[in-house]
Amino acid sequence: MPNSLQKAQAQYEAGEHKRAVDTLWDVTFVGDHAEIDARMVIALATQLKDVTQGGARRDCDEHIARAQGFLEPPADPETRALGEERDRRRREEPVLLAREARAAGLIWLEIRRSEDVVAAEMAAALADDPAAASAALPGMIDAVEAEGWRLEHVVAMFRPTKVQTSVLRGAELFMGGDVVDGEEVHIYLFRRVDGASG
């Protein structure tokens, strides 16, 4: 039976690019061949990046970064802390992310939130506290659009993180098992106003 890396390679060769990108998530860097596997993931993800777009292309970048992170020694604590702080600010400050994406020449911008920002803004505006409603800051969507982006699409996903366990060993979700825990993710997809169609 082929391993995940061989399976992903076969999917790529068969033209099943999105499936190959998804299969790469199953590749782990353990055992005697971990270094070779990491280098092969970089090579395959680079090839897949050339023939994919959108989320699949971003996943290719993550696969490359994951493999490079295994191959390269960890950065010193100060550099790592700066990188983590930059990533945190990008997650928490969508306007900063919008500016950086525009400066980088990107046409599409994806912002993920664990809450529905439209519902949260509406609840705050309709709250019984008039002082809180009048002092409300501009909404996330309006703030990003003020940076030259236009909201194109919103998606809400629920990803189960834990299902009821049984002797079926993981098959319970597909066979009618109960989800007992999960997380909701809201994805806001923006397109640059002056960007070419993509």
Side-chain angles (χ1 to χ4, degrees):
M1 183 173 167
N3 64 29
S4 298
L5 193 51
Q6 292 167 334
K7 183 179 175 184
Q9 183 67 44
Q11 289 169 331
Y12 168 72
E13 291 169 3
E16 299 174 350
H17 302 137
K18 176 72 170 82
R19 282 187 173 183
V21 172
D22 291 341
T23 301
L24 283 179
W25 288 116
D26 297 331
V27 178
T28 57
F29 309 122
V30 293
D32 296 335
H33 296 88
E35 185 174 333
I36 294 169
D37 288 350
R39 294 188 189 287
M40 291 178 70
V41 164
I42 292 171
L44 182 55
T46 302
Q47 291 174 318
L48 285 164
K49 187 176 174 182
D50 292 337
V51 294
T52 56
Q53 55 187 346
R57 189 171 205 172
R58 283 188 295 278
D59 284 351
C60 290
D61 287 331
E62 290 189 41
H63 290 309
I64 293 168
R66 183 168 68 92
Q68 287 175 336
F70 172 79
L71 292 171
E72 297 168 2
D76 64 274
E78 185 177 332
T79 304
R80 187 169 51 246
L82 288 172
E84 289 171 359
E85 173 64 15
R86 183 192 65 236
D87 292 343
R88 183 199 62 78
R89 285 186 63 217
R90 283 180 173 163
R91 279 192 311 272
E92 294 177 4
E93 300 177 23
V95 172
L96 174 66
L97 181 59
R99 287 179 187 151
E100 289 180 358
R102 188 173 177 81
L106 297 178
I107 295 173
W108 293 97
L109 170 66
E110 177 186 279
I111 296 177
R112 292 179 179 233
R113 287 287 177 265
S114 58
E115 69 172 349
D116 181 347
V117 297
V118 175
E121 291 167 9
M122 193 170 81
L126 298 175
D128 290 335
D129 183 4
S134 64
L137 296 171
M140 186 271 290
I141 294 171
D142 292 334
V144 172
E145 287 188 338
E147 296 296 323
W149 297 90
R150 180 178 63 231
L151 181 66
E152 291 286 329
H153 196 64
V154 178
V155 175
M157 297 186 310
F158 179 80
R159 296 189 318 182
T161 57
K162 184 177 179 185
V163 295
Q164 184 66 43
T165 58
S166 73
V167 295
L168 299 174
R169 296 187 181 184
E172 54 274 323
L173 182 61
F174 302 105
M175 300 180 75
D178 295 324
V179 174
V180 294
D181 201 4
E183 62 182 6
E184 193 171 70
V185 178
H186 298 267
I187 302 173
Y188 300 85
L189 186 63
F190 294 85
R191 182 153 118 23
R192 203 174 71 208
V193 172
D194 61 350
S197 63

